[in-house]
Amino acid sequence: MSLKDYRFDGSKKLDLKKLPTDSKHDDVDKEKILAKTAANLTKISELQDKLYADGREGLIIVLQAMDAAGKDSTIKHVMSGINPQGVDVTSFKSPSSEELTRDFLWRFNKVIPARGKIAIFNRSYYEDVLVVQVKEFNKTYHQADRVINTKSKAFFEKRYTHIRNYEDYLYDSSYRIVKIFLNVSKEKQKERFLERIDTPSKNWKFSANDIVERGLWDKYHDVYEDVVNNTSSKEAPWYVIPADQKWYARYLVSEAILDALKKIDPQYPVMPDDEQARLEDCRNQLLNEKN
């Protein structure tokens, strides 16, 4: 399998049970993958510099996952070599009381970056069709009866439509969107939870609520499958990445980001002739400057 096998752009349906969560099915060599990842990070850094200088397109990376899938470490590793001035990372928690009085896309639209930059959403507006759907929070919203009394299936089908339209709007506004679901197995999540409990320096990463969420594993996976199948498009594809081995997940994530940057094909701006002449004049002034 290659990156395209983990890419969902609306041309095929996702069946999570049929997708691997590790590298075994892909028969890869870890050392070669690590070398490829390093090469990808260098290319990403070079293209990000051009993207920032070019300023014609922006890139939005959406990261979704079950707990302990490795979102934070993936961001830290894959973005380690790029200029921090050109990247905005936003981690979305439960909405505040103010945010709950607005439309569900409001808090995300506020942090869409200027073109030329990369935005990374650690969780995103997809939480409003994931956790909200799993826990039926929509029934608690302080909204009009015509909204609250809508059957849950119809309610979320409308939200899928809103999200597709929103992503089309962003694409038409000169942004690219890469959506990544880190697909960790239940067994690996258990292993990482135990490590967090048994390692004092990692205790802060664990919450008793993580066990509550783990109890909803099957329901979350059913909803994730539904979400991907209803919001995948050519312009805003989903990548369902095996996440049991962080080194392999980071490689595939780097491949997805690199692919998007190559499609953008950013270029350094070419200065007009009069500006070039001014540069030459400035150069001569500097060379002839008396110390």
Side-chain angles (χ1 to χ4, degrees), residues 197-254:
I197 292 170
D198 295 338
T199 307
S201 62
K202 294 184 178 182
N203 287 170
W204 65 275
K205 290 184 176 183
F206 185 78
S207 165
N209 189 58
D210 292 339
I211 300 300
V212 176
E213 295 295 292
R214 180 175 166 83
L216 298 169
W217 181 276
D218 291 339
K219 194 169 183 179
Y220 268 111
H221 272 61
D222 288 343
V223 173
Y224 261 114
E225 199 171 275
D226 197 47
V227 166
V228 170
N229 287 330
N230 279 281
T231 61
S232 293
S233 69
K234 184 179 179 181
E235 291 77 20
W238 275 101
Y239 292 89
V240 182
I241 303 296
D244 282 3
Q245 296 158 304
K246 291 184 179 181
W247 57 269
Y248 194 51
R250 291 165 182 170
Y251 163 68
L252 290 171
V253 169
S254 73

Side-chain angles (χ1 to χ4, degrees), residues 5-240:
D5 297 300
Y6 298 109
R7 187 177 192 269
F8 293 83
D9 61 4
S11 61
K12 60 184 178 182
K13 293 292 184 181
L14 169 64
D15 184 343
L16 270 175
K17 295 181 180 65
K18 292 182 179 179
L19 276 188
T21 59
D22 58 32
S23 66
K24 294 176 183 177
H25 291 76
D26 294 349
D27 191 27
V28 296
D29 180 273
K30 182 177 179 178
E31 294 306 314
K32 290 181 179 179
I33 290 296
L34 292 175
K36 287 181 179 180
T37 303
N40 282 353
L41 298 190
T42 298
K43 293 174 185 175
I44 288 171
S45 177
E46 293 168 354
L47 287 170
Q48 184 257 339
D49 192 61
K50 289 183 178 181
L51 181 78
Y52 190 68
D54 194 0
R56 291 182 300 165
E57 289 202 61
L59 178 62
I60 299 169
I61 301 166
V62 171
L63 264 178
Q64 293 286 156
M66 298 292 286
D67 293 321
K71 294 190 307 300
D72 293 341
S73 62
T74 297
I75 293 169
K76 182 178 180 180
H77 186 84
V78 176
M79 295 293 142
S80 60
I82 63 179
N83 184 346
Q85 285 186 312
V87 181
D88 296 329
V89 180
T90 307
S91 295
F92 292 99
K93 307 297 183 182
S94 298
S96 67
S97 56
E98 179 192 10
E99 289 166 344
L100 285 171
T101 67
R102 314 292 180 120
D103 65 274
F104 80 96
L105 291 171
W106 179 75
R107 63 176 177 149
F108 307 100
N109 202 54
K110 287 198 306 177
V111 294
I112 296 298
R115 283 183 288 271
K117 299 188 76 174
I118 296 174
I120 301 173
F121 288 178
N122 186 344
R123 301 192 187 278
S124 67
Y125 43 88
Y126 279 98
E127 292 296 293
D128 290 270
V129 288
L130 286 163
V131 65
V132 172
Q133 188 164 184
V134 169
K135 297 192 172 182
E136 299 184 329
F137 287 153
N138 54 300
K139 295 181 179 179
T140 70
Y141 287 166
H142 186 60
Q143 296 182 10
D145 289 343
R146 62 182 173 81
V147 178
I148 299 305
N149 293 336
T150 301
K151 290 183 179 180
S152 288
K153 184 177 180 181
F155 180 91
F156 290 105
E157 284 177 348
K158 286 184 178 181
R159 284 208 165 176
Y160 294 151
T161 300
H162 297 325
I163 287 172
R164 289 195 302 269
N165 289 339
Y166 181 59
E167 291 176 343
D168 284 344
Y169 163 76
L170 289 174
Y171 184 79
D172 289 342
S173 299
S174 207
Y175 291 90
R176 305 262 180 168
I177 305 173
V178 174
K179 301 178 294 191
I180 294 165
F181 172 57
L182 295 177
N183 186 24
V184 70
S185 68
K186 195 171 185 180
E187 294 75 17
K188 180 57 70 171
Q189 186 195 61
K190 177 180 178 179
E191 178 185 316
R192 291 176 181 171
F193 277 171
L194 288 170
E195 182 182 7
R196 291 178 179 184
I197 292 170
D198 295 338
T199 307
S201 62
K202 294 184 178 182
N203 287 170
W204 65 275
K205 290 184 176 183
F206 185 78
S207 165
N209 189 58
D210 292 339
I211 300 300
V212 176
E213 295 295 292
R214 180 175 166 83
L216 298 169
W217 181 276
D218 291 339
K219 194 169 183 179
Y220 268 111
H221 272 61
D222 288 343
V223 173
Y224 261 114
E225 199 171 275
D226 197 47
V227 166
V228 170
N229 287 330
N230 279 281
T231 61
S232 293
S233 69
K234 184 179 179 181
E235 291 77 20
W238 275 101
Y239 292 89
V240 182

Side-chain angles (χ1 to χ4, degrees), residues 269-280:
V270 177
M271 300 190 74
D273 292 342
D274 59 335
E275 289 294 328
Q276 290 282 3
R278 287 195 187 96
L279 282 179
E280 186 61 26

